[in-house]
Amino acid sequence: MDQSVLETQVLKLLELHAPIKARKLAAILAEEFGKHVDRSDVNSILYRLKSEGKTVVDSNYQWRIGGQSVSTAGTAKRGKRVTAMEPAQPSIVFTPEQQAVIDLDPSMHLLIRGQAGSGKTTVLAARAGRILSAMNKGSLLFLTYNSALSAYVKRAFSQSGMKGDIDVRTFHDWARNAAKGLGFEFTGWVDGKVRSEQIKACIEKAKSEVGNHRLFDFQASPELLAWWGDEIAWLFGQHITHLDEYLAVERSGRGTAIRISQEDRRFVWCVFELYEEWLENTRQEDYDNPAGLILRALMERGGDLPDEYRYDHVMIDEVQDFDKSWLLIAAKIPRVSLSMAGDLAQKIYRRSFSWSSVGIQVQGGRSKRLAASHRTTRQIMDVAEYLLADNDVTQSPDFTSPDRPTKNGDKVKLLLADTPKHAYEQGYDWIAHKFKRLRSTSVAVVLPFSRQLFPAQKALEKRGVNVKRAKGAGLGNFGGGVVVTTFHQLKGLEFDHVVIMGLHDAQYPGRLLESMPQEDQGEEISLMRRVLYVAMTRAKQSVTLVGSAPFCRFFDEVPSEVMERV
């Protein structure tokens, strides 16, 4: 439908049906014209008319004609201006390969690819200092996925001799603050548990609108609720805003156990729009859709991201775990350059995109590879490399095959007990014996699930170990001693020693696969193997694997001679 015609029809319907919500308007338009009309299109028109003073919206998101829109402009934390920068005096000696990336002219986008331990984060931090030193003024935003890595990056700046002020944030934190500055009233993030409950409510409402459907029957298929949560997160991540896009798109990474036809997608879309409407009404945003927070703020305000919320340069670390929609927003922030660092082998979330799909050109000389590994040892990589064997990410042209480290150390140690309980007890005994008296050395004791951290902390304390339980920024700022955390929290960090516990096959991967259809397990197994690869390659000196027989199947192909039994 022509936009001008649609705008005219929207105004006419407002005169007849106000107050009315955008989704209801879309439904009426679809009935009148016999063609699907997306709620997002109607919302865009309504907010544009609002900026012209032709429409108004109340607190319940019901629209009507007339009245001047009320300004909700606020103030966000702007990019800090950096003047009289002192040139960074690195306390780290960079290799010629690393220095070449640091010194590259910041006039275009840059992608830094490199394996675990190649120094991507430190190089990115030093490049930030180099850019601002050369400019003497400007603003720079450094984005990370989680708060642990954000805290770690601040330390990396200090280690590389950075003396200026750079805005280091998680993407979620930046989006929340920018949306607030744009005048968007944000009440909080919706997590997976709350999303599941709301999906149930939206499905009940959808039944009254479009009738029943097999995808609505949780009693017949209990696994459906988890599927719905993943499907909605996927829609957000792929930035699918129109039904036509959803009908046409290839649902890569969504598995085959629950197959959906074109007609099925129409029922899914109804629920998705109901969920979006609930988020809008409650002024919340789904945690898997931080980009949506900015998109909604811009829609209400009108126009593109204002210049005062942009930065001259933007850096993104661990970019492989950013979603397509996140990068679509991130690409709007820099005035001059965007530098990113990532490694597909360390991709530990179900996110997918291509550089062309987000409008970022990083081909040719704008894609640089850091080949060497400077963190971990040859002996650790002798075992870790088996976790990437036949992994799905290895087929991507962006995949960087790990090089052999030149640094030598102890073999990976294997503590194998007869039962899971004995494995934990013997593992804690071994940690106390080996690391109890260490202070400046860092030891990460990692487990699969968050609920295991408190019992692990108490078990180690009973053995006289001074141990800290940490996640997020607390883990990123961890200096020395023993810390207990989860596998996923190690992303982007490094420690002298890593002890990986809970590796009896019934728990990892068994417990995570038991409720998953057989045909969807391949992708999940690839992801879980990468999670362990990341955990192992955080270690600078040693890795110890702790579990019971039967041991985690991911290590079945590892030759016995490259590991040492404890």
Side-chain angles (χ1 to χ4, degrees):
M1 189 187 305
D2 182 83
Q3 282 296 102
S4 60
V5 173
L6 185 58
E7 183 175 312
T8 301
Q9 292 297 324
V10 165
L11 285 169
K12 287 182 178 179
L13 289 175
L14 277 180
E15 291 177 353
L16 294 172
H17 300 285
I20 187 171
K21 292 191 174 184
R23 199 175 67 86
K24 184 63 176 176
L25 271 176
I28 295 172
L29 285 164
E31 290 173 8
E32 287 193 4
F33 289 91
K35 183 180 179 181
H36 177 83
V37 179
D38 284 290
R39 170 182 171 275
S40 58
D41 283 335
V42 174
N43 245 341
S44 295
I45 289 172
L46 289 168
Y47 277 107
R48 187 172 68 252
L49 292 171
K50 176 175 176 283
S51 68
E52 298 170 3
K54 296 178 181 178
T55 61
V56 292
V57 60
D58 62 23
S59 59
N60 293 317
Y61 286 90
Q62 296 186 108
W63 293 86
R64 65 179 189 275
I65 295 289
Q68 181 64 37
S69 61
V70 179
S71 173
T72 56
T75 302
K77 183 179 178 71
R78 270 63 166 188
K80 298 177 180 178
R81 307 306 297 181
V82 183
T83 58
M85 280 286 301
E86 294 183 40
Q89 300 298 324
S91 57
I92 298 172
V93 178
F94 293 105
T95 66
E97 178 186 57
Q98 293 172 327
Q99 193 66 51
V101 175
I102 293 168
D103 293 339
L104 196 66
D105 176 49
S107 59
M108 298 173 66
H109 296 328
L110 171 66
L111 172 64
I112 304 169
R113 297 178 294 122
Q115 70 185 83
S118 61
K120 295 184 300 297
T121 298
T122 306
V123 165
L124 206 59
R127 177 169 168 78
R130 173 72 177 82
I131 288 172
L132 292 182
S133 296
M135 291 173 58
N136 282 327
K137 61 179 180 179
S139 58
L140 193 146
L141 173 66
F142 199 110
L143 291 172
T144 68
Y145 174 77
N146 61 27
S147 55
L149 184 54
S150 183
Y152 178 80
V153 165
K154 292 175 183 177
R155 291 175 59 202
F157 279 135
S158 176
Q159 291 173 352
S160 63
M162 185 67 195
K163 298 182 184 300
D165 196 3
I166 295 179
D167 207 358
V168 181
R169 293 176 177 271
T170 65
F171 185 73
H172 282 81
D173 183 46
W174 174 83
R176 182 181 64 244
N177 280 275
K180 182 179 178 182
L182 290 167
F184 185 82
E185 182 185 342
F186 174 61
T187 61
W189 299 108
V190 174
D191 61 18
K193 182 178 180 181
V194 175
R195 176 171 62 199
S196 293
E197 292 305 311
Q198 194 55 39
I199 286 172
K200 293 178 184 177
C202 290
I203 284 176
E204 288 304 311
K205 191 171 183 179
K207 287 178 182 178
S208 66
E209 295 187 11
V210 296
N212 218 329
H213 190 273
R214 64 180 178 85
L215 293 176
F216 297 168
D217 191 354
F218 296 134
Q219 289 189 339
S221 304
E223 71 276 10
L224 270 177
L225 188 57
W227 178 88
W228 270 102
D230 289 343
E231 187 76 1
I232 284 176
W234 181 82
L235 284 165
F236 283 139
Q238 292 299 301
H239 189 50
I240 295 174
T241 59
H242 296 80
L243 175 61
D244 288 346
E245 293 177 75
Y246 187 38
L247 294 175
V249 73
E250 180 182 350
R251 295 171 60 257
S252 57
R254 290 296 296 121
T256 58
I258 298 178
R259 300 178 184 273
I260 65 171
S261 65
Q262 295 291 94
E263 187 59 29
D264 293 334
R265 296 191 195 195
R266 297 181 184 275
F267 286 85
V268 174
W269 193 258
C270 177
V271 175
F272 180 59
E273 285 200 323
L274 284 166
Y275 180 60
E276 282 191 305
E277 188 174 83
W278 174 77
L279 290 171
E280 184 179 67
N281 288 341
T282 59
R283 288 287 185 175
Q284 299 182 94
E285 189 51 80
D286 193 290
Y287 191 80
D288 283 311
N289 191 34
L293 199 58
I294 299 299
L295 292 170
R296 280 207 274 153
L298 292 177
M299 182 177 64
E300 294 195 11
R301 177 190 176 100
D304 292 326
L305 189 66
D307 192 64
E308 62 263 34
Y309 300 101
R310 302 179 67 197
Y311 293 73
D312 295 310
H313 303 277
V314 175
M315 307 270 176
I316 302 177
D317 200 12
E318 301 290 339
V319 71
Q320 75 276 356
D321 283 318
F322 272 51
D323 233 329
K324 176 182 176 180
S325 61
W326 302 21
L327 285 171
L328 284 168
I329 293 296
K332 297 178 183 293
I333 305 172
R335 300 185 188 96
V336 181
S337 75
L338 173 65
S339 299
M340 303 164 289
D343 174 20
L344 284 183
Q346 299 179 64
K347 180 182 174 186
I348 62 173
Y349 297 98
R350 295 187 193 89
R351 311 197 195 284
S352 61
F353 63 88
S354 64
W355 298 114
S356 59
S357 71
V358 294
I360 298 174
Q361 300 302 317
V362 290
Q363 290 77 24
R366 307 312 297 181
S367 178
K368 298 295 184 181
R369 180 174 184 255
L370 299 177
S373 175
H374 306 285
R375 177 195 300 131
T376 199
T377 67
R378 178 181 293 271
Q379 288 74 18
I380 292 172
M381 192 58 73
D382 281 342
V383 177
E385 65 182 358
Y386 282 91
L387 295 168
L388 296 182
D390 299 321
N391 204 280
D392 54 9
V393 299
T394 61
Q395 307 306 312
S396 170
D398 288 328
F399 175 71
T400 302
S401 297
D403 285 355
R404 305 295 297 162
T406 57
K407 178 180 171 183
N408 280 305
D410 295 336
K411 288 183 178 181
V412 170
K413 293 179 173 57
L414 173 64
L415 195 162
L416 185 62
D418 56 347
T419 68
K421 181 179 179 181
H422 289 159
Y424 284 117
E425 294 300 317
Q426 291 174 31
Y428 297 139
D429 287 343
W430 191 84
I431 293 166
H433 169 72
K434 191 77 174 177
F435 303 118
K436 185 176 182 178
R437 292 174 177 81
L438 297 181
R439 291 297 178 265
S440 59
T441 301
S442 59
V443 182
V445 178
V446 296
L447 299 105
F449 308 112
S450 293
R451 63 177 179 272
Q452 297 175 304
L453 301 187
F454 181 74
Q457 180 186 17
K458 292 302 177 184
L460 287 169
E461 287 176 344
K462 286 182 179 178
R463 291 163 170 81
V465 179
N466 184 15
V467 59
K468 180 179 181 181
R469 174 167 44 104
K471 296 170 72 174
L475 184 62
N477 284 316
F478 182 74
V482 179
V483 65
V484 175
T485 192
T486 63
F487 292 177
H488 280 77
Q489 287 290 311
L490 294 190
K491 170 185 169 68
L493 308 180
E494 65 179 16
F495 301 85
D496 294 306
H497 307 278
V498 174
V499 181
I500 305 176
M501 304 193 68
L503 291 179
H504 39 287
D505 194 74
Q507 174 168 266
Y508 198 90
R511 187 168 298 176
L512 295 172
L513 296 177
E514 61 187 10
S515 61
M516 181 172 291
Q518 185 70 35
E519 53 266 51
D520 287 346
Q521 290 185 8
E523 184 182 4
E524 182 69 16
I525 286 173
S526 282
L527 187 149
M528 294 172 72
R529 291 173 73 102
R530 294 196 300 273
V531 169
L532 281 180
Y533 173 82
V534 169
M536 289 192 67
T537 55
R538 301 306 93 196
K540 294 190 286 185
Q541 296 181 35
S542 79
V543 168
T544 304
L545 308 175
V546 181
S548 63
F551 198 67
C552 174
R553 71 193 73 172
F554 300 156
F555 296 93
D556 285 351
E557 303 303 317
V558 178
S560 58
E561 61 267 22
V562 302
M563 291 195 288
E564 176 185 337
R565 288 286 295 266
V566 176

